[in-house]
Amino acid sequence: MAPKRAGAAPVSAPARHGRWYDDACGASLALELIGERWSLLIVREMLLGPRRFNELRGALPTLSAKVLTERLVALEASGIVRRIRMAPPASVQVYGLTEWGQGLEPVLLELVRWGLRAPGHDPALAFTPVALMLSLRALIDPVRAGALSLWVEFDIGTQKFAARLRGGELAIHPAGEGMSAPDLRFTAASASDFLPVFYGKRSLGEAVGKLKVGGDPALAGRFIDLFALPPKFRG
C-alpha cells in the first residue's frame, strides 16, 4: 500500500550541534545525530522501506521498547525519521526515513565493508534479513557482474525482497506477495542460512534443507559468485 504522511506529532527538540564534542566538523555533528547506541541500526532496518514499531523490535530483540521509543523520537526530531500512516485498508503507523535519512545508506554500506575487515568479526551472531540485503549491495563485484541482468526474489522467513541486478549494481526493495517471474528465487528460514553459500562459498548441495533455490542452478551459481567478503585487515 502507498503510504501517506501522518499528522505532525510532538517530538523533542533537535539535537544541538556541539552537545557532545564542541566541534564544528560535520563528522562530529553526524555522531551527535546518530552516534547514540542503537540509532544507526534502527536506521539500517528502515533503509529498504518503512517498518512498524514491532517490526523494529523484532529485528533488534535486545533493544527495549523504551530505548527504541527514545531513539525514534530523537531521530524524528532531527529530521532523519518520519512517521507515516499507511493508506487503507492497512491504516497503521510505520516509521520511515526522510530523504535526508536515506542518505545514510552509502555511509552504512561503507561501514559494512570496513567492519567486515576486522579480525574479530563473528558471523555466528544474529543477522537480520535487511542486514543481509545491505551486505549484498555492499559486497557485489561490479566488474564480475558485467552486463548480467537479473530479477531475483529473496524469501527470508516472513520477509520478501525483490532485487534488480543491472549495470553491476543491485537495487533491492521489499517485495509484495511474490514476483510473477523472477529469474532466481532464494528461500530460507533466516538470513544466517545464506551465509555459508554466499560468503563461505559452500555449494548449494551442502545447503540442502536450509537454502532453497528456484531457477537455473548454473545461473544461481553465477549470481552467488558475484559476492565475496573483503580481506581481513592484517595490520
Side-chain angles (χ1 to χ4, degrees):
M1 290 295 173
K4 60 181 181 179
R5 288 296 303 272
V11 293
S12 62
R16 177 183 62 82
H17 187 186
R19 64 181 175 137
W20 291 352
Y21 304 116
D22 194 25
D23 189 314
C25 176
S28 73
L29 175 56
L31 288 172
E32 287 163 358
L33 293 171
I34 59 170
E36 289 189 285
R37 189 181 183 198
W38 295 109
S39 292
L40 201 52
L41 294 188
I42 293 168
V43 168
R44 180 195 70 190
E45 291 302 311
M46 291 184 281
L47 277 173
L48 298 183
R51 307 294 297 276
R52 300 184 189 191
F53 185 92
N54 286 340
E55 289 175 332
L56 293 170
R57 282 289 319 277
L60 304 167
T62 58
L63 169 61
S64 71
K66 179 179 181 293
V67 173
L68 175 57
T69 299
E70 291 172 351
R71 296 295 182 269
L72 288 170
V73 166
L75 290 167
E76 184 179 5
S78 299
I80 297 168
V81 166
R82 61 184 179 128
R83 275 180 275 187
I84 304 165
R85 177 66 62 178
M86 300 297 289
S91 296
V92 297
Q93 178 178 277
V94 295
Y95 294 88
L97 296 176
T98 63
E99 182 180 359
W100 184 48
Q102 196 69 38
L104 284 165
E105 181 176 3
V107 176
L108 264 158
L109 296 183
E110 194 56 46
L111 282 173
V112 168
R113 289 185 281 262
W114 184 80
L116 287 173
R117 297 192 66 203
H121 172 246
D122 184 358
L125 295 173
F127 200 49
T128 74
V130 170
L132 172 65
M133 294 296 99
L134 292 175
S135 79
L136 296 179
R137 280 184 49 73
L139 300 177
I140 189 170
D141 184 336
V143 175
R144 183 171 291 183
L148 184 61
S149 180
L150 292 174
W151 276 105
V152 184
E153 181 175 333
F154 294 89
D155 296 347
I156 311 169
T158 60
Q159 295 188 53
K160 298 176 183 292
F161 301 91
R164 178 70 163 117
L165 173 61
R166 182 167 52 188
E169 294 187 357
L170 194 67
I172 303 176
H173 58 83
E177 290 303 311
M179 297 168 60
S180 57
D183 299 292
L184 295 170
R185 178 181 283 111
F186 293 92
T187 304
S190 73
S192 297
D193 292 332
F194 285 77
L195 302 184
V197 173
F198 274 75
Y199 298 129
K201 299 308 174 186
R202 295 184 182 176
S203 69
L204 286 169
E206 293 177 275
V208 169
K210 288 194 172 183
L211 179 61
K212 299 178 182 179
V213 180
D216 179 7
L219 183 61
R222 185 180 176 192
F223 178 73
I224 291 167
D225 284 344
L226 302 181
F227 308 94
L229 294 173
K232 295 294 185 183
F233 182 71
R234 300 298 182 186

